[in-house]
Amino acid sequence: MSPKKCVFGCEGKFSMYGFPKNPALRDRWIQFVFPGQKRSVANAFVCSRHFSDECFINKAQVDAGFAHRLLLKDGAVPVIKDPSHESSTSTPVTAREDLPLFKHTECQTERRPTVSVKVQANPLKISVGVQCTFVPSQKSVATQTGHLRSKGTRATVFSAGVSTENTQAETWRNLSFTPVKASTPGLGATPAKRPRMEFLEEKDDDEGDSFAEASEVSGMEVSCDYTDAKYIVFESSLRELFETCPLCKHNCNVQRSRLGTFVSFSVVCNHCQYAKKWQSQPVRGSTPVGNLQMSAAVYFTGGSFIQMNEICRAMNLQIHNYNTFRRHARMLLEPAIFHKWKMDQQAMFQQLQPQGKIALSGNMRADSTGHSAKSGSYTLMHLESNKILDIQLVQSNEVGGSAHMEKEGLRRGLDLLESNQLHAEYIVTDRHARVQKYLRERVIKQYYDVWRLEKGLSKKLKKLSRNKECQVLRKWLPGIKNHIYWSATSSKEGHEKVAKWKSLLNHIQNVHTHDDPVFPKCAHPDRVSTDSSKWFKPGTMVLYKVEKLLLNKRVLRDVEKLSHQHQTSAFEAFHSIILRFAPKNVVFPYIGMLCRLYLATMHFNENADREQATNFEGTALNKITYPKSKKGKPTAKPVKTEPTYGYVSDLMRLLFTEVFDNPATFVEELQKLPIPPDLSAGFNRPAKEDVITRHVARFNPT
């Protein structure tokens, strides 16, 4: 492959740039490079000499030696025809061979100090970006032995240019402390589309501590990797790094600035005028990366920022306030969660579309107990893969009351599936009356979950067994419970399930042949019982009450529609996960609740098929539990493998690589979602003074 060459014939090692793909911008390049010509520019390149300094985003880093290739800004156009006539009178920065090598941890490289020489008498002051090598005077060089090493991790060291009329001693006196502004080309100017993120913290309790303003932080931008390891460092340990001047060993004037988790130190030596600025973390725009990542880590893992703030306060660990967290969530975190869930959902839809019809299960969860729920979430799960396809959040004032939320959530979920060419072959739900009617109208086959019918019958039977004349029923409670499951799972047709269920009444009377031809005889082997006290006696009151309870018309109708293959027990595990992300004792706004439901869904889908853990010998692991529901009876429970949190890593990557650079697109996507008004929006809002005036304390009626 031949090396790239500049169309102007420039010789030397310069950064080369191909013509842009944007038609309008490419025409501007062609008009400048080939005026009045129409020609192919597929293999044409323009070198960096034909662009002005304002066209690059990392000019300062390249000049300081921390980058090798100049990067063009979006929309940059070449403007210099002949670079030899456009150059200034100052010579390029070169290394001084007569100065020794210095090594700083800011750059971790050995470089010779650089001096900028200018023809004019006035010295040229250079503001150098972060992580650069300091230019010492000849006096300081003579007093030092070996390499100098600064202990800061990221520092801005400011140096001065040297005039041809100045001596090296004058160079030392011309050092200047010049902060780098965010608008400086090459130092990460704020993108035009990204809203300004000014997160001002409350002033520290210590009167002597300074406070970082957004304008000051915006001048500290530096590229970073958000996956860098973080550590807890005490402030006293940090001050030890800056109290002594690394050149003259005198005490320095150290000032601290803080913005949430971000802290910076400004160091000035009054003796030799050495100056340096160190920051604890990178800054993008005016946003410290650590602040944003702290908010993201709390939100994405389902944590509470208020509790996190209390933990940090207990150990005096500095953190940003709750208003900043909410601003992060509103502008960046929630749009990222919404976008990722929609992308994951579309991927599942595309994977299932070849099947056409799918088996579903549905269930609703209210955000509070009783009939006063503010909102409810209806979930549709794919029974074959055990993954959640959709979850709908319905607020009670949208549908006229909490009793209508389940039907509305089911309707929205089925409409979304059908809009993506997915149709329900059948659906397994509870026995909600409105849901039954709606599915009949929509001509969708419905099955009932066995556990819910068994739970309702067991409560009634247990209550009946407490009567003195019904003590014989206590021995049959486990058997009746097992018979419900066996009748459903061992049959495919509804009439067969009903026939097996009816046989229970004969079986408890020690009669094992039945009149129904569908199931004429019990499936268990014939055996003779010597304990006659365990059987029900014909014509007794207890038998009549049990028959009335088990064989009423509604129970038989429900038994006929019991699911023989799939159940909704996975919803109980999913609802327990929701409790971790959205506890019922915490009130969330609509978008906040929806995003936390999406996070719980992503966690469940990622860990839905965890296998049973094994030891080093390959033996499956189990643990013994003593559940309250079984009155302390020991139960073996398989131990699953540890859950994974890949979705959190994906959200972090999406946040820092896409959403942060252009949040407007993601915010607009979230804003298209219709948000119902708050429940309090329909109430009258009197003046605050009137409410206070009418207030009368219950124990002080005056």
Side-chain angles (χ1 to χ4, degrees), residues 20-21 28 58 158 335 692:
K21 296 182 180 180
R28 294 179 61 188
N58 63 336
F158 303 97
I692 297 175

Side-chain angles (χ1 to χ4, degrees), residues 65-335:
F66 301 106
H68 301 288
R69 174 178 170 81
L70 290 168
L71 302 178
L72 286 177
K73 294 182 179 178
D74 293 338
V77 178
V79 293
I80 302 175
K81 281 281 188 179
D82 187 358
S84 60
H85 297 291
E86 299 291 337
S87 61
S88 61
T89 57
S90 59
T91 61
V93 178
T94 57
R96 286 282 302 272
E97 297 295 333
D98 57 335
L99 295 180
L101 290 174
F102 287 83
K103 184 174 181 179
H104 290 254
T105 55
E106 291 89 340
C107 60
Q108 293 295 324
T109 56
E110 293 186 355
R111 299 168 49 86
R112 294 191 181 276
T114 58
V115 178
S116 177
V117 181
K118 189 176 180 182
V119 177
Q120 300 176 3
N122 295 329
L124 174 63
K125 296 181 179 180
I126 302 176
S127 177
V128 185
V130 297
Q131 297 183 335
C132 63
T133 306
F134 188 83
V135 184
S137 65
Q138 187 67 27
K139 178 181 178 181
S140 63
V141 171
T143 58
Q144 301 296 325
T145 57
H147 297 297
L148 290 179
R149 183 175 180 86
S150 172
K151 296 183 180 180
T153 57
R154 284 189 175 92
T156 304
V157 184
F158 303 97
S159 62
V162 180
S163 171
T164 54
E165 299 177 0
N166 288 350
T167 62
Q168 292 179 349
E170 291 173 337
T171 302
W172 179 250
R173 291 193 296 269
N174 287 327
L175 289 173
S176 63
F177 187 87
T178 309
V180 182
K181 300 297 181 183
S183 59
T184 303
L187 291 182
T190 304
K193 291 185 178 181
R194 180 163 59 83
R196 182 172 177 83
M197 309 285 286
E198 295 183 356
F199 304 127
L200 298 182
E201 298 292 326
E202 298 178 358
K203 188 175 177 65
D204 295 339
D205 295 334
D206 298 335
E207 294 295 335
D209 291 336
S210 60
F211 178 72
E213 297 290 342
S215 59
E216 180 182 355
V217 175
S218 63
M220 302 178 181
E221 182 163 341
V222 61
S223 60
C224 75
D225 183 6
Y226 65 92
T227 60
D228 283 351
K230 289 85 176 174
Y231 305 93
I232 295 179
V233 182
F234 284 47
E235 182 177 333
S236 58
S237 300
L238 287 177
R239 288 186 177 274
E240 290 180 2
L241 302 176
F242 310 115
E243 289 177 348
T244 304
C245 177
L247 300 179
C248 64
K249 304 304 181 183
H250 284 74
N251 290 335
C252 295
N253 182 18
V254 181
Q255 293 184 349
R256 193 208 71 169
S257 299
R258 186 184 71 84
L259 189 63
T261 63
F262 170 88
V263 64
S264 66
F265 286 91
S266 299
V267 182
V268 177
C269 179
N270 296 327
H271 182 264
C272 64
Q273 301 304 315
Y274 166 83
K276 180 172 70 172
K277 197 163 192 175
W278 178 91
Q279 62 188 60
S280 63
Q281 59 186 253
V283 177
R284 297 182 64 178
S286 58
T287 306
V289 174
N291 288 356
L292 177 59
Q293 195 167 9
M294 171 66 79
S295 298
V298 173
Y299 204 129
F300 294 163
T301 58
S304 168
F305 184 84
I306 295 177
Q307 293 181 355
M308 184 66 188
N309 193 19
E310 292 177 357
I311 295 172
C312 293
R313 188 182 304 173
M315 64 178 300
N316 202 22
L317 181 63
Q318 304 304 307
I319 191 175
H320 51 284
N321 58 28
Y322 181 75
N323 291 335
T324 300
F325 168 77
R326 285 305 310 157
R327 201 173 294 117
H328 287 160
R330 183 175 62 254
M331 301 182 68
L332 298 170
L333 307 183
E334 291 172 347

Side-chain angles (χ1 to χ4, degrees), residues 348-512:
M348 289 188 292
F349 288 166
Q350 293 176 4
Q351 186 178 3
L352 294 174
Q353 281 174 357
Q355 300 181 18
K357 289 190 174 183
I358 56 177
L360 298 172
S361 63
N363 195 14
M364 196 199 80
R365 171 192 177 272
D367 65 345
S368 61
T369 57
H371 300 280
S372 59
K374 173 187 175 183
S375 61
S377 56
Y378 197 89
T379 308
L380 287 177
M381 182 183 296
H382 183 229
L383 291 173
E384 297 294 336
S385 62
N386 201 32
K387 290 189 176 182
I388 295 172
L389 298 181
D390 184 56
I391 184 168
Q392 295 287 338
L393 180 62
V394 183
Q395 199 163 281
S396 60
N397 59 348
E398 294 183 82
V399 292
S402 58
H404 304 274
M405 294 190 301
E406 186 165 359
K407 174 186 172 182
E408 177 64 17
L410 175 61
R411 183 192 66 80
R412 294 181 185 179
L414 292 177
D415 289 346
L416 178 62
L417 293 181
E418 290 184 358
S419 65
N420 287 273
Q421 292 77 46
L422 293 174
H423 302 275
E425 181 180 0
Y426 62 87
I427 183 170
V428 181
T429 66
D430 55 15
R431 297 176 293 161
H432 194 281
R434 288 188 174 89
V435 171
Q436 295 179 39
K437 181 180 178 181
Y438 176 74
L439 292 176
R440 284 197 304 268
E441 295 173 351
R442 200 154 177 164
V443 195
I444 297 177
K445 193 171 184 178
Q446 180 187 17
Y447 289 110
Y448 298 148
D449 180 55
V450 179
W451 175 77
R452 298 183 183 278
L453 176 62
E454 176 270 317
K455 182 181 179 181
L457 287 176
S458 296
K459 286 184 177 180
K460 296 177 181 179
L461 291 171
K462 190 174 181 180
K463 182 179 180 181
L464 181 62
S465 66
R466 294 193 184 103
N467 297 334
K468 187 176 182 180
E469 65 274 10
C470 300
Q471 292 184 358
V472 65
L473 179 59
R474 299 178 184 177
K475 300 178 181 179
W476 287 96
L477 291 179
I480 295 175
K481 183 185 298 185
N482 293 335
H483 189 75
I484 299 176
Y485 286 96
W486 178 79
S487 300
T489 57
S490 62
S491 310
K492 292 186 178 180
E493 300 298 331
H495 61 276
E496 184 180 358
K497 300 172 187 176
V498 174
K500 291 180 178 179
W501 175 248
K502 286 183 176 180
S503 68
L504 175 65
L505 194 65
N506 288 335
H507 178 82
I508 61 177
Q509 301 178 66
N510 200 17
V511 178
H512 307 293

